[in-house]
């Protein structure tokens, strides 16, 4: 296995970036990765991986990366760091004559920073401060890319040190400096927000095709369609952060609420909406809505009826739907999807809208509880999901949406059984339990006398064999 310092951000389509069932999200994310249907910005998360199977034959620095790999494989991190430091200076000179090669300089710069983190005490913070200066001196579009990366680095640092930061006392009016101890949790969160907003404020990135930064990307079959420009990629990264709870921790009142169903209206109407006043909503929510309004207005004018525009609009609907607190939001969201279905009725993009409808039905079906009469109206939502998934596979058999429909269909049909019992059992009292199962023709039960000491054994298979061999005190089927 080769060790490479890179940054990654998986570009899942909007139908996979949801607030729905976590198991479905994980399953689909793994499926996407297996099928290489992702766009990965390699400068956005450090991870271990092998070199790509198909190296970039146009990369003028293949020899540099090969030697770096060789050094890292032998565990010579410091030698790799010093080697790339020298190579980076040469690449920097080369970029002056060939400006189009700037992505290679970004790759070298970030790799040097990542390697340096492991070579000295408090390396993460020192890399951040060095990156601040690099970002300050960079020009477009490098500055926007660095800003997004720097925001992520601050966020990672905050996550790693959040408990220490909570107890840190700093002077309220003092500007934080190079010393990590001068930064409070609030300072870090403010900086993260400012950097993500700055990364999408430079609209020139809309004219930079995503393929222009190919050296930073590992692309699959679907990536360029979803994020065709550098701006799209940076926007999705910013929105991904603002969807997290971390983005709201600096708010006077945590967990602020959205309360307007108008935010689920069609894109053309959404971009004209007057947003809540700053004293009526959280600033983080306002950042999200302002970003979406501006991005959708540009997208409507320049690439309406494209896959990228639909994906952005679906992202907007999902984000708003996930944050709305009104009980009527479910019907409003379904109405919004129905309007999109009409809009894309005669195009291949209809498959993506139908898939999101199916995902929504599936999410709602998961909320059904046979013991709760108030959820009775959700009883047949899985059936509706399966019917819609079948339509997608029938009408769009060779599309990515059909592949995902088959995957979700298989998941819904997956047999399952769970057993829940009370944690505390009272002597001489009946022990209550609950058994849930799905997609099983029959369930057979056996009750046997147990030994508490046996249940603590770690070899589950041996324990199960002994329990099955015991005579049942009671048994039945249903």
């Amino acid at each position: 296995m080769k060790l490479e310092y890179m940054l990654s951000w998986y570009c899942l389509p909007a139908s996979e970036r949801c607030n729905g069932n976590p198991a479905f999200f994980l399953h689909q994310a793994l499926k996407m990765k297996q099928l290489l249907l992702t766009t990965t910005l390699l400068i956005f998360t450090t991870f271990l991986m092998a070199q790509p199977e198909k190296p970039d034959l146009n990369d003028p620095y293949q020899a540099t990366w090969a030697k770096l790999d060789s050094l890292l494989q032998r565990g010579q991190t410091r030698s790799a760091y010093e080697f790339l430091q020298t190579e980076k200076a040469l690449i920097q000179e080369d970029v002056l004559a060939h400006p189009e090669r700037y992505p290679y300089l970004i790759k070298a710069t970030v790799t040097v920073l990542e390697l340096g983190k492991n070579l000295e005490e408090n390396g993460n913070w020192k890399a951040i401060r060095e990156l601040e200066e690099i970002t300050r001196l960079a020009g477009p579009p490098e500055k926007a890319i660095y800003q997004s990366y720097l925001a992520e680095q601050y966020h990672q640092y905050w996550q790693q040190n959040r408990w220490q930061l909570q107890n840190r006392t700093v002077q309220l009016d003092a500007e934080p400096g190079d010393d990590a101890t001068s930064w409070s949790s609030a300072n870090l969160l403010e900086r993260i927000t400012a950097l993500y907003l700055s990364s999408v404020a430079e609209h020139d990135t809309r004219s930079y095709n995503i393929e222009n930064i190919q050296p930073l990307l590992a692309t699959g079959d679907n990536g360029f369609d979803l994020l065709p420009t550098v701006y799209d990629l940076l926007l999705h990264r910013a929105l991904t952060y603002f969807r997290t709870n971390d983005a709201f921790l600096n708010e006077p009142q945590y967990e602020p609420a959205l309360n307007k169903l108008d935010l689920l209206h069609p894109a053309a109407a959404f971009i004209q909406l007057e947003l809540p006043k700053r004293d009526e909503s959280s600033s983080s929510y306002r950042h999200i809505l302002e970003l979406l309004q501006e991005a959708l207005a540009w997208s409507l004018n320049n690439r309406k009826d494209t896959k990228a525009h639909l994906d952005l609009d679906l992202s907007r609907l999902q984000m708003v739907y996930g944050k709305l607190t009104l009980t009527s939001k479910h019907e409003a969201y379904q109405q919004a999807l129905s309007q999109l279905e009409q809009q894309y009725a005669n195009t291949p993009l209809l498959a993506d809208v139908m898939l999101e409808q199916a995902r929504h039905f599936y999410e709602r079906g998961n909320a059904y509880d046979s013991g709760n009469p108030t959820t009775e109206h959700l009883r047949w939502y899985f059936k509706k999901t399966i019917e819609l998934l079948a339509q997608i596979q029938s009408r769009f058999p060779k599309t990515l949406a059909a592949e995902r429909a088959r995957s979700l269909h298989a998941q819904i049909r997956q047999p399952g059984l769970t057993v829940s019992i009370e944690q505390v059992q009272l002597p001489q009292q009946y022990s209550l339990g609950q058994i849930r199962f799905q997609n099983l023709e029959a369930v057979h039960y056996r009750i046997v006398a147990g030994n508490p000491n046996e249940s603590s054994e770690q070899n589950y298979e041996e324990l199960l064999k002994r329990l099955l061999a015991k005579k049942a005190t009671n048994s039945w089927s249903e």
Side-chain angles (χ1 to χ4, degrees):
M1 182 171 64
K2 300 179 181 179
L3 175 62
E4 189 159 350
Y5 289 85
M6 296 180 178
L7 305 161
S8 79
W9 180 74
Y10 292 103
C11 165
L12 296 177
S15 58
E16 312 302 337
R17 298 188 301 269
C18 60
N19 295 304
N21 182 275
F24 173 56
F25 179 88
L26 176 60
H27 174 79
Q28 291 295 323
L30 292 175
K31 187 71 173 176
M32 287 287 290
K33 188 174 182 181
Q34 292 165 0
L35 295 175
L36 297 180
L37 299 172
T38 60
T39 293
T40 306
L41 185 54
L42 295 181
I43 67 163
F44 291 104
T45 301
T46 306
F47 68 105
L48 303 178
M49 62 173 288
Q51 283 280 21
E53 293 182 5
K54 296 181 180 180
D56 181 5
L57 299 179
N58 296 320
D59 186 344
Y61 310 107
Q62 289 185 67
T64 297
W65 314 128
K67 183 172 180 179
L68 177 67
D69 245 2
S70 176
L71 291 169
L72 291 172
Q73 283 188 80
R74 296 198 296 267
Q76 300 175 1
T77 305
R78 183 167 292 280
S79 296
Y81 173 78
E82 293 172 351
F83 163 73
L84 193 56
Q85 279 277 36
T86 302
E87 291 296 303
K88 190 188 98 171
L90 298 176
I91 295 173
Q92 194 164 9
E93 291 181 8
D94 195 28
V95 169
L96 294 176
H98 303 280
E100 73 280 1
R101 294 182 180 178
Y102 74 87
Y104 296 106
L105 179 58
I106 296 177
K107 179 179 179 179
T109 299
V110 168
T111 307
V112 166
L113 290 172
E114 293 291 339
L115 288 170
K117 289 179 180 180
N118 302 309
L119 297 176
E120 55 183 321
E121 187 179 358
N122 206 15
N124 288 338
W125 182 256
K126 291 179 180 178
I128 285 174
R129 300 312 296 168
E130 185 175 349
L131 186 59
E132 279 278 13
E133 183 64 12
I134 293 171
T135 303
R136 186 182 69 82
L137 297 175
E142 300 98 311
K143 181 184 285 289
I145 295 173
Y146 279 131
Q147 286 169 331
S148 187
Y149 170 52
L150 181 56
E152 185 182 64
Q153 295 301 295
Y154 271 119
H155 191 202
Q156 289 179 1
Y157 181 86
W158 177 84
Q159 289 176 316
Q160 294 164 0
N161 299 276
R162 61 185 303 176
W163 303 117
Q164 298 95 307
L165 288 165
Q166 283 183 350
N167 298 320
R168 179 175 295 172
T169 302
V170 297
Q171 189 173 341
L172 293 179
D173 297 332
E175 282 290 324
D178 290 337
D179 187 352
T181 61
S182 67
W183 287 72
S184 67
S185 179
N187 293 146
L188 288 169
L189 292 172
E190 287 173 6
R191 185 63 179 143
I192 294 166
T193 293
L195 284 165
Y196 273 126
L197 292 177
S198 296
S199 72
V200 292
E202 178 54 68
H203 294 169
D204 285 350
T205 55
R206 294 173 179 173
S207 62
Y208 284 90
N209 193 301
I210 195 71
E211 296 181 12
N212 291 343
I213 60 171
Q214 179 66 54
L216 304 176
L217 302 173
T219 59
D221 300 334
N222 203 45
F224 290 164
D225 288 339
L226 293 174
L227 304 177
T229 72
V230 174
Y231 172 80
D232 285 298
L233 182 58
L234 299 179
L235 174 67
H236 275 276
R237 285 175 49 77
L239 291 176
T240 297
Y241 170 71
F242 285 119
R243 290 174 77 157
T244 68
N245 288 334
D246 295 349
F248 297 94
L249 292 178
N250 257 4
E251 302 294 339
Q253 292 182 337
Y254 187 49
E255 296 281 351
L258 292 181
N259 59 359
K260 286 191 175 183
L261 294 179
D262 292 356
L263 297 170
L264 292 173
H265 282 183
F270 169 78
I271 63 175
Q272 300 296 330
L273 286 178
E274 182 178 353
L275 298 181
K277 297 178 181 178
R278 295 191 180 274
D279 58 350
E280 294 177 354
S281 69
S282 104
S283 60
S284 294
Y285 274 137
R286 190 174 181 88
H287 291 325
I288 293 173
L289 297 175
E290 287 175 341
L291 284 177
L292 288 169
Q293 280 191 329
E294 186 176 15
L296 281 169
W298 164 72
S299 192
L300 276 170
N301 289 331
N302 293 276
R303 58 183 192 188
K304 185 180 179 182
D305 299 329
T306 65
K307 194 175 187 68
H309 175 74
L310 173 60
D311 188 67
L312 178 60
D313 200 16
L314 284 174
S315 294
R316 183 261 305 188
L317 292 174
Q318 290 165 358
M319 187 175 296
V320 171
Y321 171 64
K323 299 295 185 182
L324 280 171
T325 58
L326 301 173
T327 56
S328 55
K329 70 174 187 175
H330 309 297
E331 294 75 15
Y333 186 60
Q334 183 54 49
Q335 182 180 357
L337 293 177
S338 297
Q339 291 171 334
L340 280 181
E341 184 177 12
Q342 296 174 10
Q343 179 180 342
Y344 293 98
N346 298 315
T347 74
L349 296 178
L350 175 61
D352 296 306
V353 180
M354 293 174 66
L355 183 64
E356 175 57 21
Q357 288 179 315
R359 187 205 64 78
H360 178 59
F361 288 155
Y362 176 70
E363 180 185 337
R364 298 292 289 141
N366 274 318
Y368 171 67
D369 183 353
S370 59
N372 183 356
T374 64
T375 65
E376 181 62 27
H377 64 291
L378 303 174
R379 181 173 185 176
W380 302 109
Y381 266 68
F382 276 2
K383 180 175 182 292
K384 295 171 67 174
T385 304
I386 291 174
E387 291 172 349
L388 192 51
L389 293 174
Q391 290 182 40
I392 296 171
Q393 295 174 72
S394 174
R395 297 177 61 181
F396 309 95
K398 297 182 179 181
T399 64
L400 181 58
E403 173 65 24
R404 293 185 191 134
R406 282 189 287 272
S407 179
L408 179 54
H409 193 174
Q411 183 180 349
I412 295 174
R413 293 291 191 184
Q414 183 75 21
L417 183 148
T418 59
V419 179
S420 302
I421 61 173
E422 293 181 322
Q423 189 172 8
V424 178
Q425 310 295 333
L426 298 177
Q428 307 302 317
Q429 297 290 327
Y430 287 110
S431 176
L432 299 179
Q434 183 183 63
I435 299 175
R436 291 176 175 269
F437 57 90
Q438 64 183 32
N439 301 322
L440 296 173
E441 293 184 1
V443 179
H444 307 284
Y445 305 91
R446 298 176 74 248
I447 297 180
V448 299
N451 183 333
N453 295 326
E454 281 185 331
S455 62
S456 63
E457 293 185 15
Q458 294 186 358
N459 191 328
Y460 175 76
E461 291 185 0
E462 290 297 325
L463 173 62
L464 185 60
K465 287 180 182 179
R466 282 200 295 273
L467 292 175
L468 291 174
K470 289 186 176 184
K471 182 179 180 180
T473 60
N474 197 357
S475 63
W476 71 97
S477 301
E478 62 179 55

